């Protein structure tokens, strides 16, 4: 029992509140950027960003994302059933961390087909990713708008 508690304490210290790989975290740390983002091109080299949801009890995860100009999107392959997808449904105020900087955003669910089609191409290009046609309709896409 003591060994388990010591291991848990060590892991907590090492991981802190940050999401690590598939393990979720809590509140994101970093410099909060208050100025508007006109172009997310600086983020395109990053494979993932950290997404923080549920402001009252912060929960953060690593997610794939794509951007074009002043727009940035994240998708939940599990649809609205993912834990963080449900949390966005309850409160769309989110925070993103890219390269150590934190951006406060409002998650807006995308339903317009033209925008969905555009983002699918962006994901396929960035991640060399082909969706299984049977998964169509399951993913939920969110655009990260300024608050």
């Amino acid at each position: 029992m003591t060994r388990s508690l010591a291991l848990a304490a060590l892991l907590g210290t090492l991981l802190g509140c940050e999401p690590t790989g598939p393990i979720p975290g809590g509140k994101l740390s970093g410099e909060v950027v208050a100025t508007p983002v006109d172009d997310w091109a600086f983020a395109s080299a990053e494979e993932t960003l950290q997404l923080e949801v549920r402001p009252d009890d912060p929960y953060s995860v690593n997610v794939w994302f794509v951007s074009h100009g002043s727009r940035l999107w994240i998708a939940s392959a599990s649809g609205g059933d993912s834990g963080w997808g449900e949390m966005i449904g309850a409160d769309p105020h989110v925070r993103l961390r890219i390269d150590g900087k934190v951006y406060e955003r409002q998650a807006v669910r995308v339903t317009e087909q033209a925008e969905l089609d555009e983002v699918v191409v962006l994901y396929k290009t960035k991640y060399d990713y082909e969706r299984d046609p049977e998964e169509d309709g399951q993913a939920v896409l969110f655009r990260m708008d300024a608050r």
Side-chain angles (χ1 to χ4, degrees):
M1 180 69 154
T2 304
R3 178 179 254 170
S4 296
L5 289 173
L7 180 58
L10 177 62
L11 283 174
T13 300
L14 291 174
L15 298 177
C17 290
E18 308 295 323
T20 304
I23 301 170
K27 186 172 179 70
L28 296 174
S29 61
E31 173 190 347
V32 176
V33 177
T35 57
V37 179
D38 295 325
D39 191 353
W40 290 99
F42 68 90
S44 62
E46 301 292 330
E47 184 171 323
T48 61
L49 60 74
Q50 288 78 46
L51 167 71
E52 178 190 306
V53 296
R54 197 176 59 196
D56 294 338
D57 183 16
Y59 177 88
S60 58
V61 292
N62 292 307
V63 296
W64 282 1
F65 72 99
V66 294
S67 63
H68 184 260
S70 63
R71 298 176 300 162
L72 185 143
W73 300 268
I74 59 171
S76 170
S78 301
D81 294 336
S82 72
W84 60 264
E86 289 178 356
M87 292 175 205
I88 287 176
D91 186 339
H93 293 96
V94 301
R95 294 177 358 129
L96 312 175
R97 184 173 62 193
I98 302 170
D99 196 25
K101 295 186 178 168
V102 176
Y103 303 86
E104 296 181 333
R105 311 309 278 172
Q106 170 112 359
V108 176
R109 185 169 178 176
V110 176
T111 58
E112 181 186 321
Q113 192 60 49
E115 187 172 356
L116 292 167
D117 293 344
E118 173 188 1
V119 175
V120 166
V121 170
L122 292 170
Y123 267 98
K124 286 181 179 181
T125 302
K126 181 173 182 177
Y127 296 103
D128 193 26
Y129 177 70
E130 292 293 329
R131 276 190 65 82
D132 179 350
E134 292 183 8
E135 290 179 353
D136 286 347
Q138 289 183 356
V140 173
L141 181 67
F142 297 98
R143 188 180 55 248
M144 301 289 110
D145 288 355
R147 285 193 199 172

